[in-house]
Amino acid sequence: MKIDDHHSTARSHGVLLKIIVFMGFLAGLARALALGAEGAIPPEFAGKIMPAEMRDDSKAHVAGKDIYEGKVNPAVNCARCHGNDGKPTRLGKGAPDLSNPAEVGQHSDARWFWRISEKITGATMPSYKDKLTEEQRWQVLAYLRTLAPSGK
Ligand code: HEC
């Protein structure tokens, strides 16, 4: 009797372990999908376009640089993770090299706008839609495009 009890406990532990492993697998899958798919831009961001005059406006670039480097609002400091030059720091482990055109050229402005506006599941990067106005987010992106000029 005692031995049987022991066996059934061991079996239910085994099932529990399988469930935990499976949930870990699902979480990993969700993260891969959320971070990976270029097509996954939510509809409210998919059509976003950088104001035309901003891309080549040096004033917007300077404003964006100041935001990026934490000079406008110390609570918004992109450079501490992405580096002043766009290369990830230790804190920004896992971030793409934002100065590498081959790496970032394939990402649309709309995608980037979404990614700095909202935190997505599994991401390290915080959400900035409550800390930066739309205009400020575009300024940061206009500046980022000067680090790796080939995006759209
Ligand atoms: C705490 C560290 C951290 C901070 C602060 C941070 N990022 Fe990121 N960023 C990351 C990481 C890590 C990734 C890679 C995806 C992920 O895990 O979130 C990333 C991804 C990105 C991407 C690429 C998104 C894509 O999917 O192609 C852009 C663009 C970006 N960050 C811009 C910014 C801007 C602009 C700011 C400041 C307003 C900022 N980041 C602040 C860590 C950070």
Side-chain angles (χ1 to χ4, degrees):
M1 197 55 194
K2 221 167 185 281
I3 291 168
D4 275 344
D5 275 358
H6 178 73
H7 274 175
S8 70
T9 314
R11 203 181 312 127
S12 65
H13 276 169
V15 170
L16 195 65
L17 192 71
K18 278 187 191 134
I19 292 173
I20 290 171
V21 167
F22 183 64
M23 280 167 56
F25 167 75
L26 283 185
L29 194 68
R31 179 184 153 86
L33 286 176
L35 293 177
E38 178 80 13
I41 304 176
E44 66 268 38
F45 289 100
K48 289 281 186 188
I49 302 171
M50 183 185 297
E53 67 285 359
M54 236 185 229
R55 192 177 307 274
D56 300 314
D57 176 15
S58 59
K59 276 209 218 90
H61 296 170
V62 171
K65 184 176 195 287
D66 285 348
I67 296 166
Y68 183 86
E69 293 176 358
K71 290 176 185 150
V72 173
N73 176 355
V76 178
N77 186 335
C78 317
R80 76 194 170 92
C81 286
H82 290 288
N84 282 347
D85 54 1
K87 296 200 194 313
T89 62
R90 258 185 30 196
L91 198 61
K93 200 161 102 25
D97 178 352
L98 298 178
S99 70
N100 179 357
E103 184 149 354
V104 301
Q106 54 187 317
H107 298 308
S108 63
D109 289 339
R111 177 187 168 86
W112 274 13
F113 188 82
W114 161 48
R115 289 292 285 103
I116 67 170
S117 298
E118 292 192 335
K119 183 168 162 58
I120 58 175
T121 316
T124 308
M125 190 160 86
S127 135
Y128 289 101
K129 71 174 168 213
D130 300 327
K131 297 199 179 84
L132 297 172
T133 64
E134 281 219 8
E135 187 188 19
Q136 287 178 314
R137 277 174 267 159
W138 285 124
Q139 287 168 338
V140 172
L141 287 189
Y143 172 63
L144 276 184
R145 290 304 188 192
T146 69
L147 298 178
S150 76
K152 53 195 164 355

PDB file of all heavy atoms in Angstrom, residues 11-28:
ATOM      1  N   ARG A  11       4.381   9.471 -10.326  1.00  0.00           N
ATOM      2  CA  ARG A  11       3.793   9.630 -11.648  1.00  0.00           C
ATOM      3  C   ARG A  11       3.213  11.046 -11.807  1.00  0.00           C
ATOM      4  O   ARG A  11       3.399  11.694 -12.820  1.00  0.00           O
ATOM      5  CB  ARG A  11       2.713   8.573 -11.888  1.00  0.00           C
ATOM      6  CG  ARG A  11       2.486   8.351 -13.384  1.00  0.00           C
ATOM      7  CD  ARG A  11       1.401   7.327 -13.650  1.00  0.00           C
ATOM      8  NE  ARG A  11       1.547   6.097 -12.880  1.00  0.00           N
ATOM      9  CZ  ARG A  11       0.583   5.572 -12.117  1.00  0.00           C
ATOM     10  NH1 ARG A  11      -0.585   6.172 -12.014  1.00  0.00           N
ATOM     11  NH2 ARG A  11       0.789   4.443 -11.468  1.00  0.00           N
ATOM     12  N   SER A  12       2.522  11.541 -10.782  1.00  0.00           N
ATOM     13  CA  SER A  12       1.936  12.871 -10.947  1.00  0.00           C
ATOM     14  C   SER A  12       3.030  13.943 -11.005  1.00  0.00           C
ATOM     15  O   SER A  12       2.870  14.952 -11.675  1.00  0.00           O
ATOM     16  CB  SER A  12       0.926  13.174  -9.844  1.00  0.00           C
ATOM     17  OG  SER A  12       1.570  13.233  -8.607  1.00  0.00           O
ATOM     18  N   HIS A  13       4.146  13.698 -10.351  1.00  0.00           N
ATOM     19  CA  HIS A  13       5.271  14.640 -10.504  1.00  0.00           C
ATOM     20  C   HIS A  13       5.746  14.660 -11.957  1.00  0.00           C
ATOM     21  O   HIS A  13       6.046  15.710 -12.499  1.00  0.00           O
ATOM     22  CB  HIS A  13       6.439  14.236  -9.594  1.00  0.00           C
ATOM     23  CG  HIS A  13       6.271  14.752  -8.205  1.00  0.00           C
ATOM     24  ND1 HIS A  13       7.070  14.345  -7.168  1.00  0.00           N
ATOM     25  CD2 HIS A  13       5.398  15.635  -7.678  1.00  0.00           C
ATOM     26  CE1 HIS A  13       6.696  14.958  -6.063  1.00  0.00           C
ATOM     27  NE2 HIS A  13       5.671  15.746  -6.353  1.00  0.00           N
ATOM     28  N   GLY A  14       5.785  13.451 -12.548  1.00  0.00           N
ATOM     29  CA  GLY A  14       6.223  13.351 -13.944  1.00  0.00           C
ATOM     30  C   GLY A  14       5.326  14.150 -14.858  1.00  0.00           C
ATOM     31  O   GLY A  14       5.790  14.881 -15.731  1.00  0.00           O
ATOM     32  N   VAL A  15       4.002  14.055 -14.649  1.00  0.00           N
ATOM     33  CA  VAL A  15       3.039  14.781 -15.480  1.00  0.00           C
ATOM     34  C   VAL A  15       3.227  16.283 -15.294  1.00  0.00           C
ATOM     35  O   VAL A  15       3.281  17.050 -16.254  1.00  0.00           O
ATOM     36  CB  VAL A  15       1.586  14.368 -15.121  1.00  0.00           C
ATOM     37  CG1 VAL A  15       0.590  15.296 -15.800  1.00  0.00           C
ATOM     38  CG2 VAL A  15       1.342  12.935 -15.524  1.00  0.00           C
ATOM     39  N   LEU A  16       3.388  16.696 -14.037  1.00  0.00           N
ATOM     40  CA  LEU A  16       3.577  18.116 -13.730  1.00  0.00           C
ATOM     41  C   LEU A  16       4.806  18.659 -14.468  1.00  0.00           C
ATOM     42  O   LEU A  16       4.773  19.723 -15.075  1.00  0.00           O
ATOM     43  CB  LEU A  16       3.747  18.277 -12.219  1.00  0.00           C
ATOM     44  CG  LEU A  16       3.594  19.707 -11.716  1.00  0.00           C
ATOM     45  CD1 LEU A  16       2.166  20.177 -11.946  1.00  0.00           C
ATOM     46  CD2 LEU A  16       3.923  19.774 -10.222  1.00  0.00           C
ATOM     47  N   LEU A  17       5.862  17.867 -14.431  1.00  0.00           N
ATOM     48  CA  LEU A  17       7.104  18.274 -15.081  1.00  0.00           C
ATOM     49  C   LEU A  17       6.886  18.452 -16.582  1.00  0.00           C
ATOM     50  O   LEU A  17       7.318  19.449 -17.175  1.00  0.00           O
ATOM     51  CB  LEU A  17       8.184  17.215 -14.830  1.00  0.00           C
ATOM     52  CG  LEU A  17       9.595  17.664 -15.203  1.00  0.00           C
ATOM     53  CD1 LEU A  17      10.063  18.715 -14.201  1.00  0.00           C
ATOM     54  CD2 LEU A  17      10.549  16.476 -15.194  1.00  0.00           C
ATOM     55  N   LYS A  18       6.143  17.519 -17.177  1.00  0.00           N
ATOM     56  CA  LYS A  18       5.869  17.616 -18.621  1.00  0.00           C
ATOM     57  C   LYS A  18       5.079  18.886 -18.930  1.00  0.00           C
ATOM     58  O   LYS A  18       5.336  19.566 -19.910  1.00  0.00           O
ATOM     59  CB  LYS A  18       5.089  16.380 -19.109  1.00  0.00           C
ATOM     60  CG  LYS A  18       5.996  15.197 -19.372  1.00  0.00           C
ATOM     61  CD  LYS A  18       5.245  14.052 -20.013  1.00  0.00           C
ATOM     62  CE  LYS A  18       6.099  12.799 -20.012  1.00  0.00           C
ATOM     63  NZ  LYS A  18       5.368  11.613 -19.582  1.00  0.00           N
ATOM     64  N   ILE A  19       4.109  19.187 -18.072  1.00  0.00           N
ATOM     65  CA  ILE A  19       3.302  20.398 -18.297  1.00  0.00           C
ATOM     66  C   ILE A  19       4.188  21.642 -18.220  1.00  0.00           C
ATOM     67  O   ILE A  19       4.111  22.541 -19.056  1.00  0.00           O
ATOM     68  CB  ILE A  19       2.155  20.492 -17.261  1.00  0.00           C
ATOM     69  CG1 ILE A  19       1.135  19.375 -17.528  1.00  0.00           C
ATOM     70  CG2 ILE A  19       1.476  21.849 -17.318  1.00  0.00           C
ATOM     71  CD1 ILE A  19       0.056  19.256 -16.486  1.00  0.00           C
ATOM     72  N   ILE A  20       5.085  21.656 -17.235  1.00  0.00           N
ATOM     73  CA  ILE A  20       5.963  22.820 -17.070  1.00  0.00           C
ATOM     74  C   ILE A  20       6.871  22.982 -18.289  1.00  0.00           C
ATOM     75  O   ILE A  20       7.018  24.074 -18.839  1.00  0.00           O
ATOM     76  CB  ILE A  20       6.796  22.691 -15.769  1.00  0.00           C
ATOM     77  CG1 ILE A  20       5.869  22.862 -14.562  1.00  0.00           C
ATOM     78  CG2 ILE A  20       7.912  23.723 -15.743  1.00  0.00           C
ATOM     79  CD1 ILE A  20       6.506  22.541 -13.238  1.00  0.00           C
ATOM     80  N   VAL A  21       7.438  21.867 -18.746  1.00  0.00           N
ATOM     81  CA  VAL A  21       8.325  21.917 -19.911  1.00  0.00           C
ATOM     82  C   VAL A  21       7.553  22.418 -21.125  1.00  0.00           C
ATOM     83  O   VAL A  21       8.016  23.278 -21.879  1.00  0.00           O
ATOM     84  CB  VAL A  21       8.936  20.516 -20.203  1.00  0.00           C
ATOM     85  CG1 VAL A  21       9.601  20.496 -21.571  1.00  0.00           C
ATOM     86  CG2 VAL A  21       9.933  20.153 -19.113  1.00  0.00           C
ATOM     87  N   PHE A  22       6.309  21.926 -21.286  1.00  0.00           N
ATOM     88  CA  PHE A  22       5.504  22.311 -22.430  1.00  0.00           C
ATOM     89  C   PHE A  22       5.172  23.805 -22.378  1.00  0.00           C
ATOM     90  O   PHE A  22       5.225  24.503 -23.389  1.00  0.00           O
ATOM     91  CB  PHE A  22       4.219  21.476 -22.461  1.00  0.00           C
ATOM     92  CG  PHE A  22       3.352  21.765 -23.654  1.00  0.00           C
ATOM     93  CD1 PHE A  22       3.810  21.490 -24.937  1.00  0.00           C
ATOM     94  CD2 PHE A  22       2.093  22.314 -23.502  1.00  0.00           C
ATOM     95  CE1 PHE A  22       3.028  21.768 -26.043  1.00  0.00           C
ATOM     96  CE2 PHE A  22       1.303  22.593 -24.603  1.00  0.00           C
ATOM     97  CZ  PHE A  22       1.773  22.318 -25.876  1.00  0.00           C
ATOM     98  N   MET A  23       4.866  24.321 -21.175  1.00  0.00           N
ATOM     99  CA  MET A  23       4.549  25.745 -21.055  1.00  0.00           C
ATOM    100  C   MET A  23       5.767  26.602 -21.378  1.00  0.00           C
ATOM    101  O   MET A  23       5.651  27.657 -21.998  1.00  0.00           O
ATOM    102  CB  MET A  23       4.009  26.048 -19.651  1.00  0.00           C
ATOM    103  CG  MET A  23       2.534  25.671 -19.552  1.00  0.00           C
ATOM    104  SD  MET A  23       1.898  25.632 -17.877  1.00  0.00           S
ATOM    105  CE  MET A  23       2.283  27.260 -17.312  1.00  0.00           C
ATOM    106  N   GLY A  24       6.932  26.119 -20.991  1.00  0.00           N
ATOM    107  CA  GLY A  24       8.165  26.821 -21.325  1.00  0.00           C
ATOM    108  C   GLY A  24       8.345  26.878 -22.826  1.00  0.00           C
ATOM    109  O   GLY A  24       8.709  27.909 -23.395  1.00  0.00           O
ATOM    110  N   PHE A  25       8.018  25.756 -23.478  1.00  0.00           N
ATOM    111  CA  PHE A  25       8.116  25.692 -24.932  1.00  0.00           C
ATOM    112  C   PHE A  25       7.176  26.701 -25.590  1.00  0.00           C
ATOM    113  O   PHE A  25       7.551  27.444 -26.488  1.00  0.00           O
ATOM    114  CB  PHE A  25       7.782  24.262 -25.381  1.00  0.00           C
ATOM    115  CG  PHE A  25       7.537  24.126 -26.860  1.00  0.00           C
ATOM    116  CD1 PHE A  25       8.594  24.156 -27.759  1.00  0.00           C
ATOM    117  CD2 PHE A  25       6.245  23.979 -27.342  1.00  0.00           C
ATOM    118  CE1 PHE A  25       8.360  24.044 -29.113  1.00  0.00           C
ATOM    119  CE2 PHE A  25       6.001  23.870 -28.700  1.00  0.00           C
ATOM    120  CZ  PHE A  25       7.066  23.900 -29.585  1.00  0.00           C
ATOM    121  N   LEU A  26       5.935  26.773 -25.087  1.00  0.00           N
ATOM    122  CA  LEU A  26       4.955  27.724 -25.636  1.00  0.00           C
ATOM    123  C   LEU A  26       5.427  29.164 -25.466  1.00  0.00           C
ATOM    124  O   LEU A  26       5.313  29.979 -26.379  1.00  0.00           O
ATOM    125  CB  LEU A  26       3.598  27.555 -24.938  1.00  0.00           C
ATOM    126  CG  LEU A  26       2.755  26.357 -25.382  1.00  0.00           C
ATOM    127  CD1 LEU A  26       1.401  26.403 -24.684  1.00  0.00           C
ATOM    128  CD2 LEU A  26       2.570  26.336 -26.888  1.00  0.00           C
ATOM    129  N   ALA A  27       5.974  29.474 -24.291  1.00  0.00           N
ATOM    130  CA  ALA A  27       6.446  30.840 -24.034  1.00  0.00           C
ATOM    131  C   ALA A  27       7.570  31.190 -25.008  1.00  0.00           C
ATOM    132  O   ALA A  27       7.608  32.290 -25.557  1.00  0.00           O
ATOM    133  CB  ALA A  27       6.930  30.969 -22.591  1.00  0.00           C
ATOM    134  N   GLY A  28       8.454  30.246 -25.256  1.00  0.00           N
ATOM    135  CA  GLY A  28       9.554  30.475 -26.193  1.00  0.00           C
ATOM    136  C   GLY A  28       9.033  30.705 -27.590  1.00  0.00           C
ATOM    137  O   GLY A  28       9.491  31.604 -28.299  1.00  0.00           O
TER     138      GLY A  28
END
